[in-house]
DNA sequence: ATACCTCGAGTTCG
DNA sequence: CTCGAGGTAT
């Protein structure tokens, strides 16, 4: 429209009509062909132009205009619609055998010579909401939910808001009446972003439990304006009533062709539909779709096989409301409902009290689940899970089951909110929760049997001391019968100790053995038990030779995991230097800050822990990789002893420089009078900080200990670094499965060359080494433009430097 | 102070 | 794997 020329009414009306056609066309290209030809912004411009015209000329608005997708809000509930042809329900198959049986039955009834050659139209079974859409003379007139199959709810206004549903059929040969059946669903991405916003809203918007509930809830909104904001989509998969004008046309003879026809009429049909031959073809399809399931942009709960020939379908007919010619082959459910029988508290090695839901066993995602963690009290409160509640349990792409939501309608009257118990169920000590922390902890420490067992279990674990065959049950036995109180006791165990423990443990639970347990437990005191005990003793003996990093990690010091243990071992080199280092010294190690340094200091300050360490050494532990402390550590510490003083007085580097300028060194600063310092230009707050330490006896003692520790470290450190490691400062990330090396071996090789192997990709990563079936890390590397190597390149790098 | 980036700890079933 | 929280760079 130009500014000078005022278009006549007929011109504008024509423009409006053209816009409607164009917008419909773009909807079709986007939703049905999945091949948009204009950017979203341009689409929006067209829509706005049409809206403007219609606002100026309401008399031209047509019922099927794309602007009319959001209609008026219905009063009260939804009207009930009776389906002229009932909407079917399908029989289910859960195994290959049931599918073969289904095909065999059809072959038999049709007296087909060769059931294996029957063809089926096969398609994914969407996890959404089935609806029926009615078109008269090509216009969308009504849509209803499936309901009970006989009648559903009239959700026409809401269905209009779904762009994937055409308001008008395309083409000329359209039937007088057409009912299309299909599934309204919510794409996963839309579900995720909706929940993202819900979380960001801080509770104002309630997150959806899953895409299916999201779709169902959205479609049942009384206000179509709300539905319009929910990103719903639609796939057509069948027809109901179809009536052509006399002589005007007919449906094709096969279901697969019917789907093609629906696509031509303007309906989205899943691109995954296919044709399969015989039971084996169907099962091939099932596996192919199953393999893609996690990658699909929408949820499916199985696949559907329909005998392709519509004539044969008619011949077979129905049993009740389910057709003989179709079956749904379901994947193992990823979500199930079950009942929370109890909520118990588990105590971890750090005393963390973790609530766990004891569930009535339920088959989810291929395994029977009877436990699910609830993480912490906050999570329990968020979900408001109570004993006796019916809950939805999921086992998503991950392995670990989780409680997704509570089904409020099925809550027993008597159920009360769950609260974290005040006392440890194992040792009776208080359970306390630090201000601002999420986890509650049993404060019993090692006097709590649970924490003792967990501590020993951790000590023996593969990445720690690697004692093969020392499992939780055995440790419990050894602990209960007094053979092992601390990890050091493991190295004093005798064959007799183990055999006696086994005997006592077996006596304690004879009932279980008599209850017809299938595992024969004979020869308890005999050869088998002896052999077991010998193996365990041998495993323990083997573990004596270890590395400093492993030993440190084994101790279970708070905040000291594998990585920190390695850093400490590399920098200090020797246990003796480390076990007496005050925390300001520990802070010199990269990635060790106040919190971690204090935790280590605190651990070694416990006389009991030092005794255990001595006992371990007395028990024959040998550190095979002891070496002098790193020159870098010595260098960091000798900068005028400033490090320790800075840490204690919380003096920042900038301030330390100011003080240093004023009096030569920080150490000197402690000896100089406040007035003199002030006269030399040292700021008052710096002086106050120095004094706080100097006048505080523990502070002075700490500085003295730091001095001693620094002397010891400097004395034993080599003068300077030799040739630096070839890959010093490089960071790698491993992903996927490597063929020649295990992931652990590859890590060890790279670290031997001085490289760091990180767990996740960031912009600091130098290269990502991708093995087979690499996952999200690879995508992230691509997004960040990080070098991606294959295994060959890794092996080449290693051999260049004389490894592997 | 703030915004990453890492690390640690807990977790289920066969 | 996922969350929480510690460490460090900005």
């Amino acid at each position: 429209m130009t500014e000078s020329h005022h278009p006549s009414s007929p011109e504008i009306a024509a423009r409006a009509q053209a816009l409607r056609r164009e917008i419909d066309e773009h909807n079709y290209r986007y939703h049905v062909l999945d091949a948009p030809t204009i950017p979203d912004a341009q689409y929006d411009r067209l829509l706005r132009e049409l809206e403007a015209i219609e606002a100026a000329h309401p008399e031209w608005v047509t019922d099927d205009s794309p602007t009319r997708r959001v209609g008026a809000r219905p009063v009260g509930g939804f009207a009930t619609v009776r389906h002229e042809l009932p909407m079917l329900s399908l029989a289910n198959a859960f195994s290959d055998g049931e599918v073969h049986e289904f095909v065999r039955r059809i072959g038999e009834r049709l007296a087909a010579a060769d059931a294996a050659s029957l063809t089926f139209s096969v398609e994914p079974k969407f996890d959404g909401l089935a609806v029926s859409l009615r078109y008269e003379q090509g216009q969308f007139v009504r849509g209803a939910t499936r309901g009970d199959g006989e009648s559903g709810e009239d959700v026409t206004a809401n269905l209009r808001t779904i762009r994937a549903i055409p308001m008008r059929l395309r083409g000329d040969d359209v039937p007088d009446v057409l009912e299309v059946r299909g599934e309204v669903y919510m794409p996963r991405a839309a579900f995720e972003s909706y929940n993202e916003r819900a979380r960001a809203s801080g509770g104002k918007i309630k997150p959806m439990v899953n895409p299916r509930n999201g779709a169902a809830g959205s479609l049942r909104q009384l206000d179509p304006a709300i539905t319009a904001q929910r990103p719903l989509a639609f796939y057509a998969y069948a027809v109901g009533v179809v009536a052509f004008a006399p002589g005007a046309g007919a449906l094709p003879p096969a279901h697969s062709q019917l789907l093609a026809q629906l696509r031509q009429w303007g309906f989205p049909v899943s691109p995954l539909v296919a044709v399969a031959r015989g039971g084996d073809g169907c099962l091939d399809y099932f596996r192919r779709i199953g393999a893609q399931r996690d990658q699909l942009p929408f949820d499916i709960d199985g696949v559907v096989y329909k005998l392709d020939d519509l004539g044969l379908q008619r011949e077979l007919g129905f049993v009740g409301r389910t057709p003989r010619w179709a079956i749904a082959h379901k994947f193992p459910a990823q979500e199930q409902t079950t009942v929370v029988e109890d909520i118990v508290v588990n105590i971890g090695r750090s005393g963390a009290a973790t609530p766990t839901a004891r569930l009535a066993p339920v088959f989810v995602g291929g395994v029977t689940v009877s436990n699910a963690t609830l993480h912490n009290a906050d999570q329990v409160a968020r979900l408001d899970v109570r004993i006796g509640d019916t809950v939805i349990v999921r086992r998503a792409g991950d392995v670990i089951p989780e409680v997704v939501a509570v089904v409020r309608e099925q809550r027993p009257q008597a159920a009360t909110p769950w609260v974290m118990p005040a006392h440890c169920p194992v040792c009776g000590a208080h359970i306390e929760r630090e201000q601002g922390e999420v986890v509650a902890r049993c404060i019993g420490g090692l006097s709590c049997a649970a924490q003792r067992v967990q501590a020993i279990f951790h000590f023996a674990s593969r990445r720690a001391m690697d004692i093969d065959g020392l499992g939780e049950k055995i440790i419990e036995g050894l602990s209960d019968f007094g053979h092992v109180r601390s990890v050091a006791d493991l190295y004093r165990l005798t064959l007799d100790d183990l055999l006696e423990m086994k005997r006592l443990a077996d006596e304690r639970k004879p009932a279980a053995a008599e209850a017809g347990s299938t595992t024969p437990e004979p020869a308890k005191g005999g050869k088998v038990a002896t052999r077991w005990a010998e193996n365990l003793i041998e495993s323990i003996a083997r573990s004596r030779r270890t590395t400093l990093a492993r030993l440190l990690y084994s101790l279970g010091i708070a905040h000291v995991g594998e990585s920190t243990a390695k850093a400490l071992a590399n920098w200090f080199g020797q246990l003796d230097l480390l076990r007496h280092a005050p925390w300001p010294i520990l802070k010199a190690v990269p990635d060790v800050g106040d919190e971690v340094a204090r935790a280590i200091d605190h651990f070694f300050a416990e006389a009991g822990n030092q005794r255990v360490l001595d006992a371990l050494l007395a028990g024959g532990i040998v550190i095979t990789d002891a070496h002098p402390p790193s020159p870098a550590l010595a260098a960091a510490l000798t900068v005028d002893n400033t490090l320790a003083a800075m840490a204690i007085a919380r003096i920042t580097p900038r301030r330390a420089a100011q003080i240093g300028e004023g009096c030569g060194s920080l150490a000197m600063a402690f000896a100089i009078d406040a007035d003199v310092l002030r006269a030399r230009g040292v700021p008052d707050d710096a002086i106050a900080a120095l004094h706080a330490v100097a006048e505080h006896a523990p502070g002075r003692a700490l500085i003295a200990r730091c001095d001693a520790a620094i002397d010891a470290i400097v004395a034993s450190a080599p003068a300077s670094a030799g040739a630096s490691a070839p890959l010093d400062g490089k960071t790698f990330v491993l992903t996927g499965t490597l063929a020649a090396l295990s992931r652990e071996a590859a890590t060890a090789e790279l670290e031997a060359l001085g490289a760091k192997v990180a767990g996740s990709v960031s912009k600091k990563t130098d290269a990502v080494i991708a093995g087979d079936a690499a996952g999200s890390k690879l995508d992230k590397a691509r997004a960040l433009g990080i070098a991606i190597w294959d295994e060959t390149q890794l092996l080449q790098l290693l051999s260049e430097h004389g490894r592997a």
Side-chain angles (χ1 to χ4, degrees):
Chain A
M1 278 179 259
T2 59
E3 55 274 23
S4 57
H5 167 70
H6 284 278
S8 63
S9 286
E11 272 178 65
I12 305 176
R15 174 63 182 159
Q17 202 49 41
L19 281 169
R20 281 179 204 128
R21 268 202 309 277
E22 195 177 351
I23 292 168
D24 279 345
E25 179 66 20
H26 288 307
N27 271 340
Y28 173 73
R29 285 174 190 275
Y30 185 93
H31 292 286
V32 181
L33 302 182
D34 198 19
T37 48
I38 57 167
D40 290 357
Q42 199 177 330
Y43 173 90
D44 288 339
R45 266 201 298 283
L46 295 174
L47 199 59
R48 276 200 305 275
E49 187 186 342
L50 179 58
E51 276 168 358
I53 297 175
E54 291 185 348
H57 301 275
E59 70 277 12
W60 295 343
V61 177
T62 60
D63 225 26
D64 59 3
S65 170
T67 60
R68 290 297 95 178
R69 284 188 178 260
V70 179
R73 170 191 194 125
V75 275
F78 298 102
T80 302
V81 178
R82 197 170 175 80
H83 300 299
E84 202 174 319
L85 274 180
M87 290 181 77
L88 311 175
S89 56
L90 296 179
N92 290 319
F94 292 96
S95 68
D96 291 8
E98 287 171 281
V99 174
H100 282 302
E101 178 59 19
F102 161 74
V103 175
R104 195 193 57 75
R105 268 198 318 268
I106 290 178
E108 210 171 77
R109 272 193 103 84
L110 293 176
D114 185 9
S117 68
L118 290 167
T119 51
F120 293 86
S121 178
V122 293
E123 61 196 50
K125 186 172 190 305
F126 300 98
D127 206 2
L129 193 71
V131 295
S132 180
L133 312 172
R134 188 178 173 95
Y135 293 79
E136 293 176 1
Q137 267 69 51
Q139 304 284 325
F140 176 60
V141 294
R142 196 174 60 230
T145 60
R146 178 176 182 282
D148 60 3
E150 295 291 333
S151 49
E153 289 176 316
D154 184 338
V155 288
T156 309
N158 288 336
L159 289 169
R160 277 178 177 281
T161 69
I162 301 174
R163 295 244 165 101
I165 295 178
M167 292 295 101
R168 199 170 357 143
L169 301 182
R170 297 172 63 89
D172 301 323
D173 302 333
V174 303
D176 281 352
V177 178
L178 172 67
E179 277 182 12
V180 172
R181 269 89 196 256
E183 199 89 351
V184 169
Y185 67 95
M186 180 174 282
R188 278 187 195 159
F191 164 77
E192 296 295 344
S193 62
Y194 180 89
N195 273 359
E196 196 114 311
R197 266 184 294 134
R199 277 193 294 274
S201 79
K204 272 183 144 161
I205 307 175
K206 277 192 86 176
M208 295 169 177
V209 171
N210 55 37
R212 192 174 58 79
N213 287 17
S218 301
L219 208 53
R220 298 195 73 261
Q221 289 292 327
L222 283 177
D223 185 354
I226 295 180
T227 310
Q229 287 161 18
R230 306 283 174 82
L232 298 178
F234 175 80
Y235 276 132
Y237 55 66
V239 295
V241 175
V242 185
F244 284 95
L251 287 183
H255 186 77
S256 52
Q257 294 164 348
L258 176 62
L259 292 178
Q261 173 69 73
L262 284 173
R263 196 183 299 222
Q264 277 171 22
W265 279 331
F267 295 95
V269 173
S270 169
L272 297 173
V273 299
V275 174
R277 188 171 288 268
D280 288 328
C282 289
L283 292 173
D284 282 346
Y285 180 75
F286 178 78
R287 291 189 231 300
R288 204 166 74 231
I289 297 295
Q292 298 174 46
R293 186 184 184 190
D294 290 339
Q295 274 72 253
L296 294 177
F298 42 77
D299 280 355
I300 58 175
D301 59 359
V303 298
V304 179
Y305 314 130
K306 293 174 184 162
L307 190 62
D308 201 30
D309 188 313
L310 297 179
L312 295 181
Q313 284 189 7
R314 262 190 301 278
E315 204 174 307
L316 286 166
F318 293 75
V319 194
R321 202 174 300 156
T322 63
R324 287 202 182 86
W325 41 266
I327 199 166
H329 189 180
K330 296 275 195 84
F331 296 124
Q334 285 187 332
E335 273 185 8
Q336 282 290 354
T337 58
T338 186
V339 174
V340 176
E341 293 180 332
D342 198 4
I343 297 177
V344 299
V345 167
N346 279 312
I347 305 297
R349 85 179 142 94
S350 64
T354 310
T356 305
R358 283 276 137 79
L359 306 169
V362 62
F363 196 70
V364 190
V367 299
T368 304
V369 169
S370 47
N371 293 303
T373 178
L374 296 167
H375 299 296
N376 53 57
D378 285 357
Q379 173 78 353
V380 178
R382 249 195 312 278
L383 295 168
D384 189 20
V385 188
R386 306 179 184 190
I387 295 170
D389 267 342
T390 298
V391 292
I392 300 171
V393 177
R394 176 194 299 164
R395 199 164 168 274
D398 195 9
V399 194
I400 315 272
E402 72 177 321
V403 173
V404 183
V406 172
V407 183
R408 293 289 163 101
E409 297 74 35
Q410 297 186 36
R411 168 169 292 167
Q413 295 275 311
T416 52
W418 185 82
V419 286
M420 180 69 77
H423 297 278
C424 171
V426 178
C427 72
H430 275 102
I431 288 180
E432 292 178 0
R433 181 171 165 184
E434 295 280 326
Q435 188 82 79
E437 292 247 312
V438 175
V439 293
R441 290 175 199 280
C442 158
I443 58 163
L446 288 183
S447 57
C448 172
Q451 290 182 59
R452 229 164 34 227
V453 168
Q454 290 298 314
I456 296 168
F457 185 63
H458 169 73
F459 180 87
S461 68
R462 201 170 47 83
R463 312 184 79 97
M465 298 300 278
D466 191 18
I467 304 178
D468 206 29
L470 189 60
E472 210 167 328
K473 283 280 160 311
I474 311 265
I475 298 171
E476 268 170 29
L478 291 169
S479 170
D480 287 356
F481 298 112
H483 293 110
V484 173
R485 298 198 54 78
S486 83
V487 292
D489 297 334
L490 291 173
Y491 294 97
R492 326 195 88 89
L493 281 175
T494 64
L495 215 54
D496 287 343
D497 289 338
L498 292 179
L499 291 172
E500 185 193 272
M501 184 280 286
K502 192 83 178 159
R503 194 167 46 73
L504 289 171
D506 288 342
E507 276 171 20
R508 193 158 71 170
K509 38 172 183 177
E514 277 167 32
S517 71
T518 49
T519 48
E521 299 190 16
K524 266 288 101 78
K527 288 237 165 75
V528 175
T530 312
R531 180 100 192 102
W532 161 80
E534 281 169 356
N535 284 341
L536 184 49
I537 294 281
E538 170 59 23
S539 289
I540 294 172
R542 252 202 319 272
S543 76
R544 284 193 168 95
R545 290 176 57 79
T546 189
T547 62
L548 180 54
R550 275 178 179 269
L551 179 61
L552 283 174
Y553 175 57
S554 307
L555 297 175
I557 303 168
H559 299 123
V560 178
E562 245 186 321
S563 172
T564 309
K566 271 183 194 160
L568 289 168
N570 282 338
W571 283 64
F572 280 84
Q574 292 160 39
L575 182 59
D576 276 337
L577 292 173
L578 187 53
R579 70 193 288 200
H580 297 118
W583 66 263
I585 302 296
L586 294 164
K587 267 190 67 167
V589 177
D591 297 336
V592 174
D594 267 19
E595 200 69 27
V596 178
R598 288 197 146 93
I600 301 167
D601 186 310
H602 185 251
F603 178 89
F604 286 120
E606 286 286 322
N609 290 330
Q610 293 282 4
R611 273 202 301 278
V612 168
L613 216 45
D614 286 330
L616 281 171
L617 295 172
I621 296 284
V622 179
I623 293 168
T624 57
D625 67 341
H627 58 81
S630 86
L633 176 64
L637 294 173
T638 43
V639 184
D640 225 9
N641 283 12
T642 48
L643 195 115
M646 278 164 52
I648 296 162
R650 297 189 171 282
I651 296 169
T652 61
R654 172 192 294 271
R655 177 123 11 106
Q658 292 173 334
I659 300 172
E661 258 177 57
C663 53
S665 78
L666 259 183
M668 281 295 288
F670 286 103
I672 299 176
D673 232 34
D675 292 338
V676 182
L677 285 175
R678 201 169 291 122
R680 296 190 190 178
V682 179
D684 278 352
D685 49 348
I687 296 170
L690 285 172
H691 273 242
V693 181
E695 285 167 13
H696 183 52
R700 281 202 305 276
L702 188 50
I703 289 178
R705 284 181 55 216
C706 287
D707 283 339
I710 290 167
D711 286 346
I713 290 166
V714 172
S716 48
S720 80
S724 65
L727 297 183
D728 204 21
K730 297 274 183 216
T731 301
F732 296 88
V733 173
L734 302 175
T735 181
T737 314
L738 303 175
L741 289 166
S742 72
R743 206 136 16 130
E744 271 164 74
T747 305
E749 293 298 330
L750 286 167
E751 284 180 348
L753 294 172
K756 239 183 90 166
V757 178
S760 57
V761 181
S762 74
K763 56 191 170 198
K764 290 182 194 164
T765 309
D766 290 290
V768 171
I769 295 153
D772 216 35
S776 62
K777 289 183 202 171
L778 189 56
D779 302 335
K780 187 157 182 204
R782 287 209 191 94
L784 291 174
I786 305 240
I788 296 168
W789 295 6
D790 60 20
E791 191 174 356
T792 325
Q793 287 167 284
L794 169 68
L795 293 173
Q796 193 185 337
L797 176 83
L798 292 176
S799 66
E800 268 171 31
H801 295 101
R803 310 279 318 181

